[in-house]
């Protein structure tokens, strides 16, 4: 086959025609793409993954899927192809070799105690607290300690997939500031304890400062929830626990408390109040305020019924309970009774990691 010879003069119009043709094709493609874009909803973020764990009631796990997020809310979950067809995002996180799932929740922690990790090992809870932890806290813990320790804890939790935690420690404002800056969510307890502590002199001082903390942070940031954190019924007496309950009710906040954690606590309650630990709390109407009990290792059958009736949440801390020889919590019995049971790590000093 012979090609027709094209002279220089004829070549110029051909170039012009080709350019116009390509321009028209490009324009058509751009128009089509623009039309498609205009049909897609504009959102902030698409997160892709080889698998997406939806947490729907039927337990659906999507393969090659994506999550659409806008203004901080998940608005759609489904196959990646469908999500990309329906939404146009400002940012997309590629999820090759990744699973997308809800962040974990650490139901009980003392975040800043990452800096006390390894201070005391292999001893029972009360010896651990009274001989080592409480003295070390009075000597070393200040606002800067809490800031650095909490920053480390947040990094450690995020690295392990935890995005929300419940905290009880000193200098609650500092903890809140760290959470605000790192992007996590937290329920932050203002610790109440009737002894000299790093940020208070006694129970009354703790309550006063706790109320001020709650007033500063309540409704300030949707990721931060301030609550009261009375330490226990062996570091506070009945009158002081009632005062915390009343303050929490007046402030409209919940309570986070160590409860029935050790044989010592149960024995202390019997000797001081004539009844077991949870029955004592119930006898003073402590549960009139929304309450979450940490540990709950030694409840009786009657106390489990009380927790269920009073809708008290429980946080099981298995590693900490083993390390401090607190015991083995009756988790199955509590679940069977209808109690909501979550998981926690406790502080790194009584767990060694978060």
């Amino acid at each position: 086959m012979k090609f027709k010879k094209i002279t220089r003069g004829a070549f110029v119009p051909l170039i012009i025609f080709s350019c116009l043709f390509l321009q028209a094709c490009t324009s058509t493609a751009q128009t089509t793409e623009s039309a498609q874009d205009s049909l897609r909803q504009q959102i902030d973020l698409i997160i892709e993954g080889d698998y997406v764990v939806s947490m729907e009631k039927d337990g659906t796990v999507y393969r090659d899927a994506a999550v659409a997020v806008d203004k901080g809310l998940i608005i759609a979950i489904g196959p990646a192809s469908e999500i990309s067809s329906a939404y146009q995002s400002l940012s997309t996180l590629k999820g090759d070799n990744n699973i997308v799932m809800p962040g974990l929740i650490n139901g009980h922690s003392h975040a800043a105690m990452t800096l006390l990790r390894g201070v005391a090992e292999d001893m029972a809870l009360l010896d651990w607290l009274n001989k080592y932890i409480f003295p070390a806290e009075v000597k070393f813990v200040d606002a800067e300690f809490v800031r650095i320790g909490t920053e480390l804890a947040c990094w450690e939790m995020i690295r392990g997939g935890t995005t929300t935690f419940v905290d009880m420690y000193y200098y609650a404002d500092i903890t809140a500031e760290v959470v605000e800056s790192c992007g996590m969510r937290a329920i932050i307890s203002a610790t109440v304890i009737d002894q000299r502590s790093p940020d208070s002199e006694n129970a009354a001082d703790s309550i006063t400062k706790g109320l001020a903390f709650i007033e500063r942070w309540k409704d300030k940031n949707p990721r931060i929830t301030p609550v009261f954190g009375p330490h226990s019924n062996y570091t506070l007496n009945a009158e002081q626990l009632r005062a915390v309950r009343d303050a929490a009710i007046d402030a409209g906040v919940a309570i986070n408390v160590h409860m029935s954690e050790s044989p010592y606590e149960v024995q202390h309650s019997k000797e001081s109040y004539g009844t077991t630990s949870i029955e004592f709390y119930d006898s003073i109407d402590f549960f009139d305020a929304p309450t979450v009990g940490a540990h709950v290792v030694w409840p009786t059958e009657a106390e489990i019924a009380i927790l269920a009736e009073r809708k008290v949440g429980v946080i099981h801390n298995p590693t900490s309970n083993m390390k401090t020889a607190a015991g083995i919590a009756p988790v199955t019995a509590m679940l069977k009774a209808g109690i909501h049971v979550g998981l926690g790590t406790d502080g790194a000093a009584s767990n060694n990691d978060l």
Side-chain angles (χ1 to χ4, degrees):
M1 179 177 180
K2 295 178 66 175
F3 288 95
K4 182 178 179 181
K5 186 177 180 180
I6 299 176
T7 64
R8 179 181 291 272
F11 192 62
V12 173
L14 181 61
I15 293 174
I16 294 173
F17 173 78
S18 298
C19 289
L20 291 173
F21 178 76
L22 289 171
Q23 184 178 12
C25 289
T26 301
S27 177
T28 301
Q30 290 174 340
T31 301
T32 302
E33 186 177 342
S34 297
Q36 291 174 341
D37 287 346
S38 66
L39 296 175
R40 293 192 292 172
Q41 181 179 337
Q42 300 291 316
I43 62 172
D44 295 330
L45 176 66
I46 291 177
I47 305 170
E48 299 177 348
D50 289 347
Y51 298 91
V52 172
V53 181
S54 69
M55 299 303 292
E56 295 169 346
K57 290 184 178 180
D58 61 3
T60 301
V61 176
Y62 294 93
R63 180 75 182 270
D64 296 325
V67 178
V69 180
D70 193 46
K71 297 178 176 61
L73 298 176
I74 294 174
I75 59 174
I77 302 173
S81 58
E82 294 181 9
I83 296 295
S84 63
S85 295
Y87 301 98
Q88 184 177 23
S89 64
L90 297 175
S91 178
T92 298
L93 297 179
K94 296 296 183 181
D96 296 341
N97 301 315
N98 281 286
I99 297 173
V100 180
M101 61 179 283
L104 302 175
I105 299 172
N106 185 347
H108 182 67
S109 69
H110 310 284
M113 291 183 78
T114 51
L115 300 186
L116 294 175
R117 192 186 336 243
V119 164
E121 304 284 336
D122 301 322
M123 57 187 63
L125 177 64
L126 263 294
D127 287 339
W128 179 80
L129 276 174
N130 292 327
K131 294 180 180 179
Y132 294 92
I133 297 303
F134 286 156
E137 287 176 332
V138 171
K139 185 173 182 178
F140 297 113
V141 175
D142 58 16
E144 186 66 8
F145 180 105
V146 170
R147 184 179 301 280
I148 294 170
T150 304
E151 286 175 346
L152 175 58
C154 289
W155 177 88
E156 191 171 333
M157 285 189 279
I158 292 169
R159 186 172 182 266
T162 295
T163 57
T164 302
F165 66 102
V166 181
D167 200 56
M168 179 195 290
Y169 209 56
Y170 309 108
Y171 296 100
D173 282 287
I174 301 298
T175 303
E177 290 171 8
V178 172
V179 171
E180 189 172 45
S181 68
C182 78
M184 294 183 74
R185 290 181 173 86
I187 297 172
I188 301 174
S189 313
T191 297
V192 180
I193 191 167
D194 192 32
Q195 61 190 42
R196 183 170 174 266
S197 66
D199 63 355
S200 298
E201 292 300 319
N202 51 39
D205 190 30
S206 298
I207 293 173
T208 299
K209 290 177 178 176
L211 280 170
F213 161 72
I214 289 167
E215 184 177 347
R216 283 190 292 271
W217 285 94
K218 191 178 181 183
D219 301 322
K220 180 180 179 180
N221 186 312
R223 292 186 287 104
I224 296 170
T225 302
V227 300
F228 266 112
H231 181 269
S232 63
N233 66 8
Y234 56 87
T235 57
L236 295 164
N237 61 35
E239 181 181 354
Q240 292 161 343
L241 288 166
R242 288 192 189 97
V244 175
R245 175 206 61 198
D246 292 343
I249 292 172
D250 290 344
V253 299
I255 289 175
N256 171 36
V257 60
H258 297 103
M259 184 182 296
S260 197
E261 180 178 2
S262 68
Y264 168 82
E265 178 185 332
V266 176
Q267 187 62 32
H268 171 85
S269 182
K270 288 179 179 179
E271 293 175 356
S272 301
Y273 310 113
T275 186
T276 51
S277 186
I278 293 169
E279 287 185 343
F280 158 68
Y281 280 113
D282 191 44
S283 72
I284 63 171
D285 295 322
F286 187 78
F287 302 134
D288 285 358
T291 303
V292 173
H295 299 283
V296 192
V297 180
W298 295 97
T300 64
E301 288 186 15
E303 288 179 322
I304 289 175
I306 290 171
L307 295 176
E309 181 183 353
R310 300 286 261 154
K311 301 187 186 315
V312 177
V314 169
I315 300 300
H316 178 44
N317 300 270
T319 305
S320 174
N321 294 343
M322 293 295 97
K323 180 172 178 177
T324 61
I328 301 173
V331 174
T332 302
M334 289 189 285
L335 289 171
K336 188 176 180 180
I339 297 170
H340 293 295
V341 180
L343 285 173
T345 61
D346 212 354
S350 60
N351 183 305
N352 286 27
D353 64 43
L354 302 177

